[in-house]
């Protein structure tokens, strides 16, 4: 019985170390390099969606405590769309990008307006720094080629979503701590 308790305690400690180590381990970083930016006419043919909008909020994997992150960590960017040139785009839309520019991510800032060139990937709109997405204030040349867009259909704004991952991590940590404490108490009683 004593050996079983020691083994259970060792396994619990090993699991704690593995979980924490896996969450905090650094990830590999990729470099981003783009060919020359395509002309607007080419963008109209190749992109799944082209629109102008304001960033309402961003949701980053990096915002979750104790979770490893790298430049390629995913980011969801929610837009309030003002004008559409291509794609099935509503007045509220989410696009995905990478966290850092090293992984071709676009570093969107809340409250800023952008001209967005997005690709479709696995049912989501993806944006990268090679796509030509830019601040709307710097897009006058593109806008003159694009001409007038259309007003997007109106949908209800999505609510900010909170992540359940920190809660799950906390529950697992508390359960592992409880197992370790129970083991320590049992061990102490056996020694006495």
């Amino acid at each position: 019985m004593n050996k079983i308790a020691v083994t259970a305690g060792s396994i619990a400690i090993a699991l704690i170390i593995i979980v924490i180590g896996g969450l905090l381990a650094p990830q590999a970083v990729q470099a981003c390099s783009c060919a020359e930016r395509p002309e607007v006419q080419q963008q109209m043919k190749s992109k799944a969606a082209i629109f102008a909008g304001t960033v309402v909020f961003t949701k980053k994997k990096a915002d979750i405590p104790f979770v490893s992150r790298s430049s390629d960590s995913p980011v969801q960017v929610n837009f309030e769309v003002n004008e559409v040139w291509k794609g099935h785009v509503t007045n509220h839309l989410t696009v995905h990008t990478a966290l850092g520019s090293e992984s071709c991510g676009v570093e969107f800032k809340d409250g800023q307006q952008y001209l967005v060139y997005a690709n479709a990937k696995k049912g989501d709109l993806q944006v990268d720094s090679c796509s030509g997405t830019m601040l709307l204030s710097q897009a006058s040349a593109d806008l003159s080629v694009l001409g007038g867009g259309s007003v997007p259909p109106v949908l209800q704004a999505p609510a900010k979503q909170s992540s359940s991952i920190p809660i799950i991590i906390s529950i697992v940590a508390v359960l592992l701590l409880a197992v370790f404490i129970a083991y320590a108490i049992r061990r102490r009683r056996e020694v006495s």
Side-chain angles (χ1 to χ4, degrees):
M1 181 95 163
N2 193 13
K3 287 183 180 183
I4 293 173
V6 170
T7 303
S10 298
I11 291 172
I13 291 170
L15 284 173
I16 291 171
I17 291 170
I18 290 169
V19 168
I20 291 173
L23 292 173
L24 299 178
Q27 302 292 318
V29 177
Q30 303 169 352
C32 177
S33 64
C34 303
E36 196 170 301
R37 186 176 169 270
E39 296 291 325
V40 176
Q41 294 86 352
Q42 181 61 33
Q43 300 276 50
M44 286 295 291
K45 293 177 186 174
S46 65
K47 299 302 177 192
I50 302 173
F51 64 91
T54 305
V55 175
V56 179
F57 69 92
T58 56
K59 181 180 177 186
K60 303 173 185 175
K61 176 182 175 186
D63 292 338
I64 302 168
F66 307 115
V67 175
S68 63
R69 57 183 165 226
S70 67
S71 66
D72 67 343
S73 294
V75 177
Q76 288 181 348
V77 184
N78 294 311
F79 281 91
E80 184 175 304
V81 178
N82 306 321
E83 197 167 5
V84 178
W85 288 272
K86 183 176 181 186
H88 299 288
V89 176
T90 60
N91 67 322
H92 293 283
L93 182 70
T94 300
V95 299
H96 302 269
T97 191
L99 178 63
S101 58
E102 303 84 15
S103 294
C104 296
V106 178
E107 297 179 24
F108 291 103
K109 296 199 180 344
D110 291 353
Q112 294 285 327
Q113 294 183 319
Y114 293 87
L115 175 60
V116 179
Y117 293 97
N119 295 308
K121 186 175 179 184
K122 297 180 184 176
D124 293 327
L125 290 177
Q126 302 284 329
V127 177
D128 60 50
S129 59
C130 300
S131 70
T133 294
M134 66 184 84
L135 284 167
L136 193 59
S137 62
Q138 299 173 350
S140 58
D142 285 31
L143 292 171
S144 66
V145 175
L146 288 168
S150 61
V151 176
V154 177
L155 290 180
Q156 192 68 2
K160 273 192 170 183
Q161 300 173 356
S162 63
S163 175
S164 61
I165 292 175
I167 295 168
I168 293 169
I169 291 171
S170 298
I171 291 170
V172 169
V174 168
L175 289 173
L176 289 173
L177 183 62
V179 167
F180 181 72
I181 290 171
Y183 163 74
I185 292 170
R186 177 178 235 163
R187 176 88 171 124
R188 186 174 223 168
R189 286 182 184 161
E190 289 176 358
V191 171
S192 302

